[in-house]
Amino acid sequence: MKTTRALLALAFAGFATVATAQDTTLIDKYKAEGVRVGIAGYAPYGYKQADGSFTGEQVEVVKHVLGKLGITDIEYIAMDFGALIPSQVAGRIDMAAAGIYIRPERCEQVLFAEPTFGQGAAYIVKAGNPKGLHTFKDIQATDGAILAVLAGGTEEDLAKRDGVSDDKLLKVSDKAAGIQAVLSGRADGFALSAFAIADIVRTAGDLIGVESSGSITEIAGEVYKGHGAISFPKGTGDETAAHEAFRDAFNDIQAEYIKSGGYAEMASAWGFTPADGPAYDMAKLCGSGL
């Protein structure tokens, strides 16, 4: 009996050693080598400030969690939104902090932390909204109306799902190109998440002469709320287990941050409120999407 207990103890100790080593593989790597964080370069999720520092709702979550893990060397890499997931798959970045919505097809390519928010969509139009555009359906129903969307972004998919034909969509690489398309008249609207559009209007609406279409929370007759989260590479083989362990460690600290009230205080700087909290968890969103 004592021999059996001793063998079991050794076995469990061995499993614990393997699990601990797996859990700390990427943490130790990032402590020693630093971590590369992809951003799309626009508020409120992740962007560079005039003084050269980086901030945004998602960036501040990353700073907090990595700080708690003892990881202080963070390199932020700005790229087109559509390049974020391919860059994770290719191993060029270690995570993305750009408010990427959790959707089943994306879950097949990358790992997601739990979402930190849920929101509708919107688009900017010229001040006064000369064509009376408020929904995606309005774009389709209005002769000559064109909507600019980020190539590969959620709003492109939402617009199509709501009946907007491809010939009415102008696909752009980034936020600046979308805004310029509206200002130049090449597009009548530029769609992003409701928070991102609100931030454009808040910070530059009067200056450049744009306003919001209003939040769009119904798509194809169904209630819509997009859920954004930090994402991580999946890797292959043993790498996948290490990435999942790191994602789980990230989730644990993120959950504590949210529970403490620290997240709400931080995110309120960009207009996030308790009403903007997620309605579903990552598992539900990866399974069915919204």
Side-chain angles (χ1 to χ4, degrees), residues 120-121 135-137 158 162 215-225:
T135 67
F136 292 133
K137 291 185 183 297
L158 294 177
D162 215 22
S215 183
I216 302 169
T217 55
E218 181 179 307
I219 301 294
E222 298 180 355
V223 175
Y224 166 74
K225 200 174 188 182

Side-chain angles (χ1 to χ4, degrees), residues 44-219:
Y45 309 115
Y47 59 99
K48 189 175 185 178
Q49 301 185 97
D51 64 1
S53 63
F54 291 84
T55 192
E57 180 263 347
Q58 297 262 281
V59 164
E60 294 302 326
V61 170
V62 165
K63 287 180 183 177
H64 176 85
V65 174
L66 295 187
K68 291 290 186 180
L69 291 171
I71 300 166
T72 57
D73 183 5
I74 307 173
E75 178 187 5
Y76 297 99
I77 304 172
M79 61 184 67
D80 293 347
F81 182 87
L84 288 164
I85 288 179
S87 292
Q88 291 175 87
V89 173
R92 290 190 289 269
I93 56 175
D94 304 304
M95 63 186 71
I100 299 175
Y101 287 176
I102 304 175
R103 292 159 57 185
E105 64 272 21
R106 290 174 174 169
C107 294
E108 293 176 2
Q109 301 176 74
V110 296
L111 300 171
F112 281 100
E114 290 297 332
T116 56
F117 64 84
Q119 63 176 319
Y123 53 88
I124 57 166
V125 294
K126 286 186 176 179
N129 199 351
K131 293 187 178 180
L133 303 171
H134 298 284
T135 67
F136 292 133
K137 291 185 183 297
D138 289 343
I139 296 290
Q140 184 63 28
T142 303
D143 288 343
I146 299 293
L147 180 69
V149 293
L150 289 178
T154 293
E155 290 71 34
E156 177 185 350
D157 178 69
L158 294 177
K160 289 179 177 178
R161 201 189 310 174
D162 215 22
V164 180
S165 56
D166 199 61
D167 64 317
K168 281 182 163 283
L169 296 176
L170 174 65
K171 298 168 189 176
V172 298
S173 61
D174 56 30
K175 183 181 80 170
I179 294 172
Q180 184 56 38
V182 174
L183 298 181
S184 68
R186 294 175 59 229
D188 299 287
F190 169 49
L192 287 173
S193 67
F195 288 148
I197 292 299
D199 191 76
I200 293 171
V201 173
R202 177 181 63 83
T203 58
D206 290 340
L207 180 64
I208 63 178
V210 298
E211 63 184 63
S212 173
S213 65
S215 183
I216 302 169
T217 55
E218 181 179 307
I219 301 294

